[in-house]
Amino acid sequence: MNTGTPVPDSYYERIDEHRYKPTAHAGGAWDPDELHFSPLGGLVVHAIERQVAAERPGEGLVMARVGYDILGRLALDECEIRVDVVRAGRTIELVEAVVLVADRPVVRARAWFLAAVDTAAVAGGTGELLTPPEELAPWEMSALWPGGYIASLDVRPLAPPRPGRTTAWVSTRHALVAGEPSSSLASYLALVDTANGIAVRQPPTAWIYPNVDLTVHLHRQPEGDWTGLDTTVTFGPTGQGLTSTVLHDVHGPVGHALQILTVRPAPPR
């Protein structure tokens, strides 16, 4: 998307209460003229959190799961996000968001909120910490993938990426929405969909394997500026694949992410 004007240091700009305009930094990897889902996933959570906070301030719930279904092509164009409460509650709540581009639903997301309770005395079973990102060298992921989103990232693998298996830290200097703060959770989730591109099993020039969904389960709220992705990519024999990721922040594991892939030969160029 070339507007001929300077690109803001953000993935989106707000148009009004429900509508947002993507910048060139949100450009996709499979097609630079489409959206990369990763920042859109963070934007959805940003919109959900804003509406929940405005309608029910201080209710003490935290997001424990968010699942996105990607319904079709994500045009690099302004979008509208509508948020509704499906199941209201003081300790458990289910919220749904629908993303529309040109009045057509392109993403549906559902988020479970659970009560925040002090369970530090029984916490455990979370796994080991990753090597800190400041001890690792950057990897130029844009040498493998095109698009404004990939170019915006600081990616630091713990070891050289292998086909179907990579562990890496991902960060960005760009804000999610220009001129407004976003939560640590929204900023963290805006990088999770990168997982499908860090552990390339086959060259994207020969095979395509976009994900049609993303589901994130969290046992702890992430903190800090880095999203850690311990990722495994599997291809099945009949056109389906799975990207499975243990999610980390600098304090340790925070949850898991899963992405179903549609695997097929790349069309002739």
Side-chain angles (χ1 to χ4, degrees), residues 47-61 83-96 111 113:
I48 289 173
E49 290 180 326
R50 281 174 57 92
Q51 184 155 326
V52 168
E55 294 180 354
R56 293 174 301 284
E59 68 179 3
L61 302 181
V83 179
D84 293 296
V85 176
V86 178
R87 185 232 192 250
R90 290 182 297 174
T91 60
I92 300 175
E93 186 162 276
L94 179 62
V95 178
E96 182 177 68
F113 287 81

Side-chain angles (χ1 to χ4, degrees), residues 4 18 32 121 160 168 198 217 247 251:
H18 300 291
I198 65 169
H217 290 82
L247 299 171
H251 303 296

